[in-house]
Amino acid sequence: MSDLIHYRLEDGLALIGLARPPVNALSQPLRAAIIDACERAAADTRVQAIILHGEHGLFSAGADISEFGSDASFAEPDLPSMLVRLTEIHKPLVAAIGKLALGGGLELALACGYRVGEPSARVGLSEINLGLLPGAGGTQRLPRLIGAESALNLILSGAQINAERARMLGILDRIATSADQLLDEARAYAYELISCSAPARPAEAWPEPAEGLPDDFLTRYRAEHEPRWKSRLAPRLVLSALEAACLLPLEEGLARELALFKQAEASRQSKALRHVFFAEREAARIPGIEADIPLRKVDKVAVIGAGTMGGGIAMNFANAGIPVALLELKGEALDRGLMQIRKHYEISVKRGKMTTEQLEQRMDLLFGTLDYADLSDADLVIEAVFEKLEIKQQVFRTLDEVCKPGAILATNTSSLDVDVIAATVSRPQDVIGLHFFSPANVMRLLEVVRGKATAPDVLATTMKIAKRIGKLPVISGVCFGFIGNRMLEPYVREAHRLVLEGAAPAQVDGVLTDLDLNMGVFSMLDLAGIDVNFLIRDANRATTAHDESYCRLGEELYAMGRYGQKTGRGFYLYEGRNRKDDHEVVAMAERLSVELQVPRRPMDDQEILDRCLFVLINEGIQLLDEGIALRAGDIDLVWINGYGFPAHLGGPMHYAEQLGLDKVLAGIQRYRHALGEYGEMWFQPTPLLERLVAAGRTRIERI
Ligand code: T1G
């Protein structure tokens, strides 16, 4: 018997414990070990019932994602066939679900006749998050267990549901009194089944999955949900699989599901999403720092500034149960900030995401103060004051005086030089940048900006605390705009230039949203604020403004006080949240073109897409070459989670790899020659891109 399985025979029961840390991913060796153990139990006349469980608690996180796209994915025993075999065993099979059963892990449990979960168990079919669909019977067995509509909602959400919900739906037959009791109660359940001569599998709850649903249920479901799917393939394949479950016998439905799954597995979108899955885990690794480096304790946090950012930052820690001191200079600003936080929580209570007692618990963790002396015992202090260097430097001088030795001093700056801020204090090794994205209590992305002096344990500690508060931390070096905003600058510049050359803002935005970006450049600037973008641009004008045409339309709108949504007018007109094109802005662009002697011409969508993405990609590769970003995958994570780049395209770096680095280079060179002086200046391929193409490399990495 493989060491991937612990097999025990106990008084008529066979206990089969999955033991492939950390998550019992159902790789080929584990699949082989499971089927061998089940066949052994099935053939042993002493065995009257079989219990499948996670030897170390967690049941299974599903198929081994690293196998997809390789022969191992369907190497025998492939998961679908293995589960069919499990359903043919003529003895009750009980799945005892500890912690998690996700994807193929839940499908494994569904192939058992009976399921019991620990109270905190969570189950789900998360394949959709990887651009896949359940490929081992989930789309066929689940609708027969809980009905087509509930099954469809669960599969398309990719969400994990708790044990109580799973029991209510019929996925779990029972919930154990505790995690410790799970196996004992699974044993008791098995003996009950034996004593009443229960069948290996109870009769299917929904032999006709669409029972009780209108004939046009799936048609209407697609009409209602398809617009939100944008160009994503997997949701559409899920719908086809559910249709098969409603129309075909199980065996034919399983065959149809397999064909659809293989289509999804081979798709670029799934490859992109699997890249994102592993990139998220890779981002946590810090080259040159041992994973087990001793960390500084962070039991108490302080946030300076109770404005929108400071309040949002403070909420992250309160949500994680960490006490937060929130400091302001004036009482009314502090009161306003605390009131704003309470309001956010009250909205969550109204939406049923939180109870009133949880609201009060979180508010009790927030301690407002006007006195820096109250920060003397904070382990981590994060300043979120006005984006002016002098103001931040003053805050850090004060922190240097009041904070205890070893306290981590973080700045939330979005563009200022962290090294210059660190130089303000006597302990630069304790200083780091924590660039939260607004709204800080919602956005997962956190750029962790490592200063030249930042101590390794400070970096490792902040990466850990970031994960603890539910953030996706990505390490950046110090440069203007770090990773995200550094790449945003040429992207915005190019969009402005395109409008001078003949495109309308709506056309540029339309091309980008057709690629499934959440927002186009101009609607994003209107949301963030044309004034905010002007101030950032102004702070860096010396290095980026090439001539008076630089983002000139944005400059003009700023001068007119047209800041975007906040003033009702920006690149577009706003009535509430309704956005309308503004012919005045187009006329302004035309006038500026004449004034700046920029020839106008009809602009085709492909050129708009090429130019916006090529400058974005080029800058990202340059960041990698400078060592500001550690990996191409990190850059992808920043743009997916901070700027709405579609995850099913994998991020700008993955997208470039899929296009072909040689094609990206050729495109940049084409526009460099086609756009005259402007092209010569701004379509310079980065040396690393040229080196990669010259070396015939297909992946973006430092060479
Ligand atoms: N396959 C391979 N490795 C996996 C894995 C998986 N399914 N799940 C986790 N890992 C690795 C992960 O890369 C990391 O490795 C370590 O385990 C800890 O993970 C046929 C086709 C389970 C909630 O989508 O959601 O089944 O970095 O850091 O934060 O129909 O991992 O240590 O080297 O994320 O505690 C469906 C994906 C697959 C679940 C745990 N299953 N995993 O989170 O730890 S498709 C999923 C997760 C499928 C079938 C279909 C999370 C987690 P390393 P972690 P965590």
Side-chain angles (χ1 to χ4, degrees):
M1 183 59 62
S2 153
D3 58 2
L4 294 173
I5 287 285
H6 288 221
Y7 187 95
R8 281 185 294 279
L9 189 56
E10 280 179 10
D11 304 327
L13 299 183
L15 270 67
I16 299 174
L18 279 58
R20 185 186 181 239
V23 296
N24 285 332
L26 298 165
S27 61
Q28 186 282 335
L30 181 56
R31 298 196 299 266
I34 292 170
I35 196 66
D36 287 352
C38 288
E39 296 292 8
R40 176 179 170 186
D44 188 333
T45 52
R46 293 168 297 172
V47 173
Q48 296 174 286
I50 303 165
I51 295 175
L52 269 181
H53 66 101
E55 185 67 21
H56 306 295
L58 188 147
F59 187 72
S60 171
D64 187 331
I65 301 169
S66 63
E67 286 187 344
F68 293 134
S70 74
D71 295 341
S73 170
F74 279 88
E76 292 194 358
D78 62 85
L79 192 57
S81 314
M82 180 179 110
L83 299 190
V84 169
R85 176 64 192 113
L86 258 57
T87 62
E88 295 163 346
I89 292 175
H90 296 301
K91 297 178 181 178
L93 245 163
V94 178
I97 298 174
K99 288 195 179 65
L100 281 174
L102 298 178
L106 180 54
E107 290 175 302
L108 172 60
L110 292 175
C112 301
Y114 305 88
R115 286 160 295 282
V116 56
E118 73 175 50
S120 61
R122 299 182 67 78
V123 303
L125 291 172
S126 40
E127 291 85 347
I128 200 90
N129 303 325
L130 297 165
L132 298 169
L133 63 148
T139 66
Q140 306 302 307
R141 293 192 181 97
L142 190 63
R144 287 176 168 81
L145 190 64
I146 68 174
E149 186 165 17
S150 298
L152 196 52
N153 290 335
L154 187 61
I155 294 169
L156 286 175
S157 73
Q160 300 174 16
I161 57 173
N162 63 32
E164 192 43 49
R165 177 105 180 98
R167 195 187 53 74
M168 202 177 64
L169 284 173
I171 293 173
L172 290 181
D173 300 298
R174 295 184 176 183
I175 298 177
T177 44
S178 72
D180 295 342
Q181 290 303 308
L182 174 64
L183 212 42
D184 285 346
E185 293 187 22
R187 285 189 185 91
Y189 189 25
Y191 286 127
E192 259 184 61
L193 294 168
I194 294 167
S195 64
C196 64
S197 308
R201 313 175 54 71
E204 282 169 339
W206 304 69
E208 295 302 328
E211 186 183 300
L213 292 176
D215 292 347
D216 63 349
F217 163 70
L218 287 172
T219 310
R220 284 165 45 185
Y221 194 99
R222 178 191 291 274
E224 183 190 342
H225 294 88
E226 191 156 42
R228 273 205 309 277
W229 299 341
K230 296 185 180 178
S231 60
R232 290 167 57 215
L233 172 67
R236 294 171 169 87
L237 299 182
V238 167
L239 217 55
S240 302
L242 261 288
E243 190 174 30
C246 296
L247 301 177
L248 301 176
L250 179 61
E251 193 173 343
E252 290 174 44
L254 288 171
R256 175 78 177 128
E257 176 195 72
L258 189 56
L260 292 165
F261 175 80
K262 290 193 170 181
Q263 185 183 346
E265 183 189 14
S267 71
R268 273 191 165 192
Q269 290 185 5
S270 181
K271 191 174 173 189
L273 287 163
R274 296 184 321 243
H275 154 70
V276 172
F277 175 85
F278 288 114
E280 287 197 358
R281 284 141 187 92
E282 185 66 20
R285 296 189 178 91
I286 313 168
I289 297 182
E290 291 309 312
D292 59 356
I293 184 173
L295 304 179
R296 298 191 189 183
K297 77 175 177 64
V298 179
D299 295 336
K300 184 175 178 188
V301 173
V303 175
I304 318 279
T308 308
M309 286 305 284
I313 292 169
M315 287 175 70
N316 288 308
F317 294 93
N319 296 345
I322 301 170
V324 191
L326 186 59
L327 179 136
E328 255 296 351
L329 293 180
K330 294 199 180 70
E332 67 271 19
L334 179 60
D335 295 343
R336 197 167 48 247
L338 289 168
M339 183 52 67
Q340 191 54 43
I341 292 173
R342 178 176 286 276
K343 279 192 185 136
H344 277 305
Y345 285 141
E346 284 168 351
I347 292 169
S348 297
V349 170
K350 279 204 191 88
R351 291 177 178 164
K353 293 185 176 173
M354 182 190 289
T355 61
T356 44
E357 50 273 10
Q358 283 170 327
L359 180 156
E360 294 310 330
Q361 281 164 1
R362 295 204 185 157
M363 291 308 296
D364 289 346
L365 286 167
L366 291 162
F367 162 68
T369 180
L370 304 178
D371 184 354
Y372 269 93
D374 288 334
L375 310 190
S376 60
D377 62 345
D379 303 303
L380 165 64
V381 184
I382 303 169
E383 67 78 18
V385 300
F386 192 69
E387 191 71 359
K388 209 100 182 102
L389 182 58
E390 297 70 31
I391 298 174
K392 291 186 185 294
Q393 286 175 314
Q394 182 47 49
V395 166
F396 272 78
R397 274 191 280 274
T398 310
L399 292 177
D400 203 15
E401 288 163 17
V402 305
C403 292
K404 67 183 181 184
I408 295 173
L409 309 180
T411 169
N412 174 51
T413 183
S414 58
S415 60
L416 298 173
D417 189 324
V418 173
D419 291 329
V420 169
I421 293 172
T424 319
V425 300
S426 63
R427 39 177 144 174
Q429 70 280 7
D430 297 338
V431 175
I432 196 162
L434 290 181
H435 177 213
F436 288 83
F437 282 70
S438 183
N441 57 308
V442 173
M443 298 286 278
R444 279 184 74 209
L445 180 63
L446 177 63
E447 282 181 319
V448 179
V449 186
R450 174 184 206 170
K452 289 191 183 67
T454 301
D457 67 329
V458 167
L459 178 59
T461 301
T462 43
M463 291 293 282
K464 198 83 178 178
I465 194 76
K467 192 157 180 186
R468 186 172 157 198
I469 62 174
K471 296 301 176 190
L472 174 64
V474 176
I475 295 172
S476 172
V478 176
C479 72
F480 174 77
F482 314 135
I483 295 173
N485 286 338
R486 163 81 180 267
M487 292 168 68
L488 181 66
E489 190 279 325
Y491 182 64
V492 167
R493 178 193 65 226
E494 199 55 29
H496 274 85
R497 180 71 187 191
L498 286 160
V499 167
L500 280 186
E501 291 186 20
Q507 184 189 5
V508 174
D509 282 358
V511 165
L512 296 168
T513 50
D514 286 350
L515 192 71
D516 279 354
L517 274 91
N518 288 352
M519 298 181 90
V521 180
F522 297 109
S523 46
M524 177 180 64
L525 292 174
D526 273 356
L527 175 66
I530 289 173
D531 51 335
V532 172
N533 190 248
F534 173 84
L535 290 174
I536 290 175
R537 191 167 52 237
D538 210 35
N540 199 40
R541 199 174 290 276
T543 56
T544 50
H546 41 89
D547 64 22
E548 58 185 347
S549 72
Y550 177 58
C551 294
R552 189 60 194 281
L553 185 56
E555 305 275 300
E556 297 275 315
L557 291 171
Y558 174 73
M560 294 163 69
R562 294 184 52 156
Y563 296 163
Q565 283 191 25
K566 65 176 87 169
T567 58
R569 306 184 72 174
F571 289 97
Y572 298 97
L573 296 175
Y574 294 89
E575 284 152 19
R577 295 176 69 86
N578 292 328
R579 185 177 68 227
K580 285 168 59 181
D581 295 355
D582 184 348
H583 66 274
E584 259 187 59
V585 171
V586 176
M588 204 188 293
E590 287 163 356
R591 175 174 56 75
L592 286 171
S593 307
V594 171
E595 179 194 322
L596 296 163
Q597 296 175 337
V598 175
R600 289 180 74 81
R601 59 187 166 85
M603 195 67 69
D604 76 37
D605 289 355
Q606 188 60 50
E607 177 171 356
I608 291 171
L609 185 64
D610 284 349
R611 289 174 55 176
C612 287
L613 290 192
F614 287 164
V615 295
L616 184 73
I617 291 164
N618 203 43
E619 196 69 22
I621 295 174
Q622 179 59 25
L623 277 169
L624 196 63
D625 203 12
E626 294 173 13
I628 298 295
L630 291 173
R631 313 165 191 91
D634 287 5
I635 295 169
D636 287 335
L637 295 176
V638 167
W639 268 77
I640 289 166
N641 294 280
Y643 300 82
F645 199 95
H648 59 268
L649 295 181
M653 300 294 102
H654 182 85
Y655 183 80
E657 292 171 347
Q658 296 306 304
L659 273 184
L661 300 185
D662 53 343
K663 293 190 177 54
V664 172
L665 177 58
I668 291 172
Q669 287 165 335
R670 185 167 68 251
Y671 289 111
R672 182 179 181 185
H673 301 313
L675 298 175
E677 192 185 324
Y678 176 84
E680 275 305 319
M681 182 179 284
W682 296 109
F683 277 85
Q684 300 252 9
T686 62
L688 174 56
L689 176 58
E690 292 177 316
R691 294 200 300 273
L692 286 167
V693 173
R697 306 293 279 269
T698 56
R699 300 295 305 278
I700 297 172
E701 50 205 347
R702 297 178 77 184
I703 56 174

